[in-house]
Amino acid sequence: MTRQHDIPSYLVPKENNPWSVYLEQIDRVTPHLGALARWVETLKRPKRILVVDVPIERDDGTIAHFEGYRVQHNMSRGPGKGGVRFHQDVTLSEVMALSAWMTVKNAAVNVPYGGAKGGIRVDPRTLSQGELQRMTRRYTSEIGIIIGPNKDIPAPDVNTNEQTMAWMMDTYSMNQGSTATGVVTGKPISLGGSLGRRDATGRGVYVAGCEAALKCGMQIEGARVAVQGFGNVGGIAARLFSEAGALVVAVQDHGGTIVHEGGLDVAALLAHVAQTGSVVGFAGAEDRISPERFWSVDCDILIPAALEQQITKDNAGQIRARVILEGANGPTTPEADDILREKGVLVVPDVIANAGGVTVSYFEWVQDFSSFFWSEEDINARLTRIMRDAFAAIWQVAQDKDVSLRTAAFVVACTRVLQAREVRGLYP
């Protein structure tokens, strides 16, 4: 039976879904924490929540206001780390859950960060480039009291990119009176960004997929892959799988779903999306299907790389994949997890599958502090090694405890977080 949690006064119950999913995941891991379980309530309460008003003057002279958030979930293992998303459906509950998943993700791959996340409730497509810049800079100024290279380091997320990070870095630096390249990651190379960062999340999905396929006795060459979301994560993962000989047979994005039984030309599709903004209209597709039919596409590997709560109890039974690689954060509900496990589908959870981005963000942060930059070959090799080691450790825990990979990842991560909490003690 699902445990009923007290809902904090600052959350509206009907908006509580993402945070509730996270709380249920913590409930599932708690029996495996031993003596550390006495600290588990720490994981159910964000350390700090900042809600800000973001006013800007629009191009037509009117004044617009937007809701902004920055949530720092846990800082026991180091400064906060997590992206900033611009999306019309952003809520406090969502940002809370995303910050908590960052805590788990950072600990799962053992980088020395806590979890944080930020967002603005806005459809960025309705703003001009100038308005986007003014909004980003005002938001950065408003949250500037809690971010910093040693406090909390934002990064790109949904609908944000290198340019967004450049504006954030410059705004924070101007307010501080000196250049602080380490305040954000995912920056342009010219501002202290790291080689390999742009492809890092998708590359991490690919590495995790190769490790999972090895455990399942599946060959990547010839494997059939379906991808939901064809942006910086899904698009890069699709490209790498295609280059390794896999067939990308279906792709879904905000515009629609396209299929090709013989495999889509991923390079051409990426060029089409860059030009048009969607996979819809791609000449190399055999057919276009309804969004609901995407989940029943015959494939070996399914990559949900869009938004949270895409795989639910309503569609999990339709899935025909052998392996699911969670490129997005929180794309699978706990009820769907149970259905998929009963079906024998291996789910590689987000907190390991998409951890490549924060891993290379860690590399960028280290390079900024040392003012010594590595080659892309070195970065990709270090990323691959960390992802493989993390996957192997989580796989072993799953085997030893006879639990899902998600619960195993939470066991590894929460143990590390709560050990840090315990040894630090409570102040004062």
Side-chain angles (χ1 to χ4, degrees), residues 125-144:
R125 295 170 298 183
T126 65
L127 302 183
S128 70
Q129 188 77 346
E131 291 169 338
L132 273 174
Q133 179 173 179
R134 293 194 290 277
M135 183 186 70
T136 302
R137 289 183 179 277
R138 181 59 185 246
Y139 169 73
T140 306
S141 293
E142 295 292 347
I143 68 168

Side-chain angles (χ1 to χ4, degrees), residues 14-152:
K14 67 181 180 180
E15 295 180 346
N16 196 37
N17 288 336
W19 184 246
S20 293
V21 169
Y22 165 75
L23 291 176
E24 185 165 345
Q25 291 167 345
I26 293 298
D27 285 344
R28 293 184 178 206
V29 77
T30 301
H32 303 284
L33 297 177
L36 289 171
R38 69 186 286 256
W39 293 95
V40 78
E41 290 295 318
T42 302
L43 299 172
K44 299 178 183 179
R45 291 165 171 77
K47 175 182 177 62
R48 184 177 291 117
I49 295 173
L50 180 62
V51 182
V52 298
D53 177 41
V54 185
I56 64 166
E57 183 175 353
R58 301 204 64 164
D59 293 342
D60 62 4
T62 61
I63 306 299
H65 292 257
F66 304 97
E67 287 181 31
Y69 309 102
R70 188 68 184 177
V71 178
Q72 296 170 340
H73 174 255
N74 187 284
M75 321 280 263
S76 296
R77 301 181 67 252
K81 189 79 187 77
V84 173
R85 62 176 51 182
F86 295 167
H87 196 275
Q88 61 273 17
D89 296 327
V90 164
T91 64
L92 179 56
S93 171
E94 178 187 48
V95 179
M96 286 169 59
L98 292 167
S99 71
W101 285 322
M102 284 303 302
T103 296
V104 177
K105 184 185 305 181
N106 290 329
V109 292
N110 209 19
V111 295
Y113 288 136
K117 205 75 175 187
I120 301 178
R121 190 174 173 83
V122 61
D123 182 351
R125 295 170 298 183
T126 65
L127 302 183
S128 70
Q129 188 77 346
E131 291 169 338
L132 273 174
Q133 179 173 179
R134 293 194 290 277
M135 183 186 70
T136 302
R137 289 183 179 277
R138 181 59 185 246
Y139 169 73
T140 306
S141 293
E142 295 292 347
I143 68 168
I145 56 175
I146 63 170
I147 65 171
N150 291 301
K151 295 163 68 175
D152 181 1

Side-chain angles (χ1 to χ4, degrees), residues 326-396:
E326 294 187 334
N329 292 308
T332 309
T333 66
E335 296 89 351
D337 260 338
D338 294 338
I339 294 170
L340 293 167
R341 193 160 193 235
E342 289 176 8
K343 285 167 57 75
V345 179
L346 179 66
V347 179
V348 183
D350 48 0
V351 292
I352 180 65
N354 69 24
V358 75
T359 301
V360 177
S361 276
Y362 168 60
F363 297 163
E364 180 178 333
W365 184 67
V366 169
Q367 291 171 90
D368 284 338
F369 271 116
S370 64
S371 296
F372 181 82
F373 291 84
W374 311 335
S375 70
E376 188 164 3
E377 183 180 11
D378 283 343
I379 287 164
N380 289 341
R382 290 171 191 255
L383 169 62
T384 299
R385 185 177 68 250
I386 286 176
M387 293 289 294
R388 284 176 174 170
D389 289 349
F391 184 92
I394 290 166
W395 181 270
Q396 190 59 52

Side-chain angles (χ1 to χ4, degrees), residues 265-330:
D265 183 335
V266 174
L269 181 56
L270 285 167
H272 172 80
V273 172
Q275 183 175 13
T276 68
S278 174
V279 301
V280 174
F282 179 57
E286 277 184 339
D287 195 11
R288 180 176 176 182
I289 62 175
S290 68
E292 296 78 17
R293 287 181 57 199
F294 170 79
W295 302 109
S296 59
V297 167
D298 185 15
C299 61
D300 299 299
I301 298 172
L302 173 63
I303 306 174
L307 296 172
E308 58 270 9
Q309 298 185 67
Q310 298 299 298
I311 303 177
T312 69
K313 60 182 176 59
D314 298 324
N315 60 21
Q318 304 170 29
I319 290 174
R320 302 164 71 181
R322 295 171 61 188
V323 174
I324 294 177
L325 305 174
E326 294 187 334
N329 292 308

